[in-house]
């Protein structure tokens, strides 16, 4: 290989290296950063969704308890009203 050929190969390699470094800096790094931001946002949304489901489940349990207690409260009120009517 001649000196001239070697110099040309080195120049091409340097140019290719510069192109690849610039490509990484200008295209790939912003893309990866955007993907990381999206991943964090998705993680936050999943946490919010989990909290929402947990809260909804708790509210449903409370409602279920109230629905279960309602007939008992109503019957107790009727019994008390009947007893008061008998006494009065």
């Amino acid at each position: 290989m001649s000196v001239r050929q070697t110099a040309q190969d080195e120049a091409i390699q340097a140019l290719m290296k510069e192109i690849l470094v610039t490509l990484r800096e200008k295209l790939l790094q912003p893309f990866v950063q955007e993907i990381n931001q999206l991943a964090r946002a998705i993680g936050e949304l999943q946490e919010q969704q989990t909290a929402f489901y947990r809260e909804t489940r708790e509210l449903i349990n409370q409602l279920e308890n109230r629905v279960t207690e309602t007939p008992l409260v109503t019957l107790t009120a009727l019994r008390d009203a009947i007893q008061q009517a008998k006494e009065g």
Side-chain angles (χ1 to χ4, degrees), residues 4-69:
R4 183 176 174 194
Q5 183 65 33
T6 304
Q8 285 179 345
D9 287 348
E10 288 175 1
I12 290 173
Q13 286 179 357
L15 181 60
M16 290 297 293
K17 182 177 179 179
E18 184 179 330
I19 290 170
L20 291 174
V21 167
T22 303
L23 178 68
R24 189 177 108 209
E25 290 174 355
K26 301 293 182 185
L27 182 64
L28 294 179
Q29 285 180 343
F31 182 70
V32 169
Q33 288 172 348
E34 184 68 23
I35 287 175
N36 289 336
Q37 288 175 349
L38 289 172
R40 283 190 295 276
I42 289 170
E44 290 172 8
L45 287 173
Q46 287 175 335
E47 289 174 10
Q48 291 172 0
Q49 185 179 26
T50 300
F52 173 76
Y53 286 143
R54 192 175 300 126
E55 183 180 338
T56 302
R57 191 174 332 131
E58 179 60 33
L59 290 172
I60 288 172
N61 289 337
Q62 290 175 10
L63 180 60
E64 182 180 317
N65 290 337
R66 288 181 183 169
V67 167
T68 302
E69 293 170 358

